[in-house]
Amino acid sequence: MDNNEIIQQQDFLAQKSAEDILTLIYKKQGKDLVFASSLGAEDQVIFDMISRLDLDIPVFTLDTGRVFQETYDLIAETEKKYKKKIKIFFPNHAIVEEMVNSDGINLFYKSSELRKKCCHIRKLEPLSRALKPYSAWICGLRREQAATRSETKVIDLDGNGKIKLNPLINWTEKDIWDYIRKHDVPYNKLHDKGFLSIGCACCTRAVAPGEHVRSGRWWWEDPEQKECGLHVVNGKLVRKNKI
C-alpha cells in the first residue's frame, strides 16, 4: 500500500470489526504480515482472534531480559493452548553489557534520556530485526490507553514506512476483558494483582483502583511523554501523527 491507499483504508477499516480488519489485511498482505505481541491483554485477544480465524500469521515478542516470571509463564501457557510458537527476540548482549557497565544496572531511574536509551537497546533494536522481513505488522494499541495514543489510526505507517495495523484501536478496557472471559483467553496473572499495563519488572508497578491504565509504567516520568519508542509514525510519537 502507498500513502494514498492507507488514507483511503483508514475510514473503511474504522467501520469494520477487529476480526474483519485482521482478515482483510491478511488477504492483502499475506506472508508480509506479522503480529508483534507484547503479551498484554489486548495482544492476547488478537492472538485468540488470529487462531479462531485460522490466519497463518507469525507471532513474535521481545524479551528485554528484565520481564516478570509471570510473562514467561504466559508465553508457555499461550503456546500450549493455541499450539503455535511465539518467536522471541532478545537485545544484543554485548550492547547491553556496555550500557550497564557504563550507566549502571538501574540507569533508567536516573533520567528520561537514560531510560529511553535502555528502551532503545532492549526494545527498539530487536524490534527492528524482528520486523525486517515484513512490510506490515499488527499490534494491540488502543486510543484509550494513553494520551500519547489518542490520535492513533486503525492503519498507519510506522517510522520506517511499514504498515502498522491496530485492530483494537476503538476498544475499551471493558471490551478487552469481556472478550477474554467469553473466550477463556490466557492472560498475565499480574493483571489480577493490580498491574494494568505490564512491561519490564523494573519499570512496571501495580496501580490503585481508578488510576489510569498506564500510570504504573515509568511512574516517575511525565505522563504525556511516557512511550518507549516502539510506537511512532513517520518518526514521531503516535499522538503527533498526521498523515
Side-chain angles (χ1 to χ4, degrees), residues 18-236:
E19 291 90 344
D20 285 345
I21 292 168
L22 288 168
T23 301
L24 288 165
I25 296 300
Y26 174 70
K27 287 180 178 178
K28 190 166 189 66
Q29 297 299 134
K31 298 298 183 181
D32 289 328
L33 180 64
V34 67
F35 173 33
S37 174
S38 70
L39 301 166
E42 292 82 3
D43 293 299
Q44 291 299 103
V45 167
I46 293 173
F47 202 122
D48 186 84
M49 287 180 177
I50 288 173
S51 177
R52 287 177 178 277
L53 294 168
D54 195 26
L55 303 179
D56 185 21
I57 300 173
V59 183
F60 74 82
T61 194
L62 308 178
D63 183 349
T64 64
R66 300 201 64 160
V67 301
F68 291 93
Q69 178 60 44
E70 287 86 349
T71 301
Y72 293 121
D73 294 340
L74 180 60
I75 292 173
E77 183 182 1
T78 302
E79 289 183 332
K80 181 178 180 181
K81 177 179 175 66
Y82 297 107
K83 298 179 174 57
K84 185 181 182 73
K85 292 293 292 182
I86 300 172
K87 189 169 183 178
I88 300 176
F89 285 82
F90 298 89
N92 183 299
H93 74 278
I95 299 176
V96 171
E97 286 178 1
E98 181 181 356
M99 173 182 68
V100 169
N101 287 322
S102 66
D103 298 313
I105 195 71
N106 290 326
L107 69 158
F108 31 82
Y109 296 134
K110 297 178 180 179
S111 70
S112 61
E113 289 74 20
L114 286 176
R115 196 273 293 170
K116 291 173 183 177
K117 176 181 179 179
C118 188
C119 285
H120 180 88
I121 289 172
R122 293 183 184 272
K123 293 183 177 182
L124 270 65
E125 189 279 327
L127 176 70
S128 179
R129 282 189 281 115
L131 291 178
K132 190 173 182 179
Y134 304 98
S135 62
W137 56 300
I138 303 164
C139 67
L141 293 185
R142 294 186 297 111
R143 289 197 186 98
E144 188 186 74
Q145 287 171 327
T148 53
R149 299 176 180 182
S150 62
E151 296 182 18
T152 308
K153 306 293 193 300
V154 65
I155 187 170
D156 231 324
L157 293 177
D158 69 10
N160 295 311
K162 293 180 184 289
I163 296 166
K164 186 174 181 181
L165 190 70
N166 304 298
L168 304 181
I169 194 64
N170 293 317
W171 282 41
T172 65
E173 187 81 2
K174 182 178 185 299
D175 293 333
I176 295 296
W177 288 101
D178 284 350
Y179 184 100
I180 286 173
R181 296 184 185 99
K182 179 179 179 180
H183 296 288
D184 192 27
V185 177
Y187 65 89
N188 196 315
K189 296 305 181 282
L190 288 173
H191 288 305
D192 296 331
K193 299 178 181 180
F195 288 79
L196 302 184
S197 177
I198 302 168
C200 292
C202 48
C203 297
T204 306
R205 68 177 182 180
V207 301
E211 283 192 281
H212 193 274
V213 65
R214 297 277 290 179
S215 61
R217 299 291 294 276
W218 310 301
W219 59 90
W220 59 92
E221 292 189 6
D222 176 2
E224 293 294 317
Q225 298 295 327
K226 291 200 298 184
E227 288 285 354
C228 62
L230 291 178
H231 302 300
V232 296
V233 184
N234 292 340
K236 298 180 180 180

